[in-house]
Structure formats: C-alpha cells, structure tokens
C-alpha cells in the first residue's frame, strides 16, 4: 500500500459527498431509458457529488461519470430483484456492477458505438465484467487535490490532471475501464491522427490514446459513437406534450377524426 493511499481515501470520502440542491438538467424517463439501451452502450451521467464537480470543471463538460451497459448479469440483482446491467468504476468501491435505477434521478446520455459487431460487443462487455473487483485508482484522487487549491487551472493542463493515475493495471477509473474495453477490439473513441504526406500518397494514421487520457465527455464528442435520445425512440409527437398552461391533450383514441 502506498503511503499516499490513506490521504487519497480521506480526500475520496470528501469528494464522494453529494452536493446539496442538485436537480437534473433535464427530467429522466426511466422506462424510455431502459427500453433504449443496448449491450455495448456507454451511459454518461451528470453526477451530484464533489468529484463530479471536479471532473466537469476539468473537462468543461456536463458529464462526470460513465458506465458500460452489458445487459442483465446472471445471479446479480438488487434487493427488489432488479438485475444489475451496468459495469462502472466507482470511487470508494472500485469496479462494480449496478442496476439502471441507480441513475434514474440523474441527467444521462446514451452513446452507442456505430457498427460494433456482435462478436466484438461480446468481447467489450466480457472485458468489463471480468474486471469487477478491481480497485479504483486512488492516485487520481491525489492528482485531483490540485483542484481543491483555489488557483485557476489553464485549460491545456486540465485533462492531464485527471490522466496521471498510478499505472497499476488493477487500479482503474470509470472512463479508462470503458476505453480499455473498446481498445480490446480496436474500436476507436478519439484516436490521435497523424497525417502522412508524400508526392505519391496522403493518408491518416490513427494511434490509440492511452486509456488514462479519456474522460466521460469523449464518448459524447467521439465521431464513432452516435447519441441515442430515449424520448425520440417511440414516434415522438410534440403535439401530444402536456403543457402546464394548456388543457391536457386527448388520448389517441379520443381524438376526433
């Protein structure tokens, strides 16, 4: 155990505490969310604790957490019988599975890898499931201490502040876990691109970034993931919305023809 681990755990306990007065940016529809998710989807979450505020500040993004949807995990349920369907790396817990209801009260976004084959999807999900029990990378908590110092952080340094880590492969943070899972099948997220030019050929060579350099927002801005909006999946009709200052809309069968 590193001599810094007790310090990191103490800071971690503070960062885990929820921030008072949190309200989701947009209301969540749990039924629509559950219906829309597919295996291999990345669920981004706008969290409400102190570490969420740190990550959102450092990445200049709404999203502070990411989980991988792997579908029902056999033999793992909540006390109410709801299956665990998410794999995530949580501060204070490490890599764990979770039920979808855990994030019903939060603003979320679904990012879906475009064209991922069934075989590779199975590999991605299995990779994450097999890492349940790994520790959270406490070294990242030490790195985040700099945020607690009331000094402005130049934008070009912010990503590096959450990307150092311990280098121990059994310690991991949420975005790194998912990035490594997709890296196992060489599915791109935000690869570095080097342009090679000559008189005969001009082509782009893609290089995989180190997994610790990924943040939750990268799945949102990746050109290789599409955004799924649950409210638009089932024939959305803005004429049927229930507005507070208007009479309630008639149900479909009661509308005049």
């Amino acid at each position: 155990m590193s001599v810094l681990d007790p310090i990191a755990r103490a800071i971690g306990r503070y960062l885990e505490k929820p921030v008072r007065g949190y309200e989701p940016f947009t209301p969540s529809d749990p039924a629509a969310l559950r219906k829309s998710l597919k295996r291999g989807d990345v669920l981004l979450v706008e969290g409400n604790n102190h570490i969420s505020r740190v990550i959102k500040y450092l990445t200049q993004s709404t999203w502070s957490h990411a989980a991988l949807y792997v579908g029902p995990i056999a033999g793992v349920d909540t006390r109410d019988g709801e299956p665990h369907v998410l794999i995530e790396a949580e501060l204070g817990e490490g890599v764990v599975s979770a039920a979808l209801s855990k994030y019903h009260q939060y603003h979320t976004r679904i990012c879906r890898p475009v064209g991922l084959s069934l075989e590779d999807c199975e590999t991605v999900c299995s990779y994450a499931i097999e890492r349940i029990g790994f520790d959270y990378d406490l070294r990242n908590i030490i790195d985040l201490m700099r945020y607690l110092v009331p000094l402005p952080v130049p934008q070009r340094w912010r990503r590096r502040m959450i990307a150092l880590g311990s280098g121990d492969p059994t310690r991991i943070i949420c975005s790194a876990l998912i990035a490594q899972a997709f890296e196992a099948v060489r599915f791109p997220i935000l690869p570095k691109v080097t342009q090679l030019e000559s008189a005969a050929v001009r082509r782009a060579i893609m290089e995989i970034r180190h997994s610790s350099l990924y943040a939750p927002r990268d799945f949102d801005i990746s050109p290789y993931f599409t955004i799924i909006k649950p409210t638009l999946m089932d024939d959305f009709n803005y004429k049927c919305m229930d507005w507070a200052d208007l009479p309630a809309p008639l149900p479909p069968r009661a509308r005049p023809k």
Side-chain angles (χ1 to χ4, degrees), residues 45-82:
V45 182
E46 179 190 42
N48 72 327
N49 52 16
H50 290 291
I51 195 170
S52 297
R53 296 179 66 186
V54 173
I55 295 170
K56 285 188 282 188
Y57 167 76
L58 294 176
T59 62
Q60 294 294 281
S61 169
T62 299
W63 312 112
S64 62
H65 184 62
L68 183 69
Y69 183 84
V70 299
I73 301 173
V76 187
D77 303 312
T78 65
R79 292 180 179 178
D80 297 329
E82 181 187 1

Side-chain angles (χ1 to χ4, degrees), residues 35 229-240 255:
K35 188 176 180 180
K229 297 191 175 183
T231 55
L232 305 182
M233 297 298 287
D234 288 330
D235 299 323
F236 169 72
N237 185 347
Y238 73 95
K239 292 291 189 180
C240 296
R255 291 177 194 151

Side-chain angles (χ1 to χ4, degrees), residues 123-138:
T123 299
V124 168
C125 293
S126 296
Y127 183 101
I129 293 171
E130 289 166 3
R131 277 149 184 80
I132 292 176
F134 279 24
D135 294 331
Y136 192 91
D137 196 342
L138 292 173

Side-chain angles (χ1 to χ4, degrees), residues 10-53:
I11 297 171
R13 285 193 292 271
Y14 165 76
L15 292 174
E16 283 181 293
K17 293 181 179 179
V19 177
R20 293 181 180 179
Y22 169 80
E23 292 183 5
F25 191 73
T26 59
S28 176
D29 184 338
L33 179 65
R34 185 180 298 106
K35 188 176 180 180
S36 301
L37 282 163
K38 294 183 178 180
R39 296 190 80 213
D41 285 350
V42 178
L43 184 69
L44 303 183
V45 182
E46 179 190 42
N48 72 327
N49 52 16
H50 290 291
I51 195 170
S52 297
R53 296 179 66 186

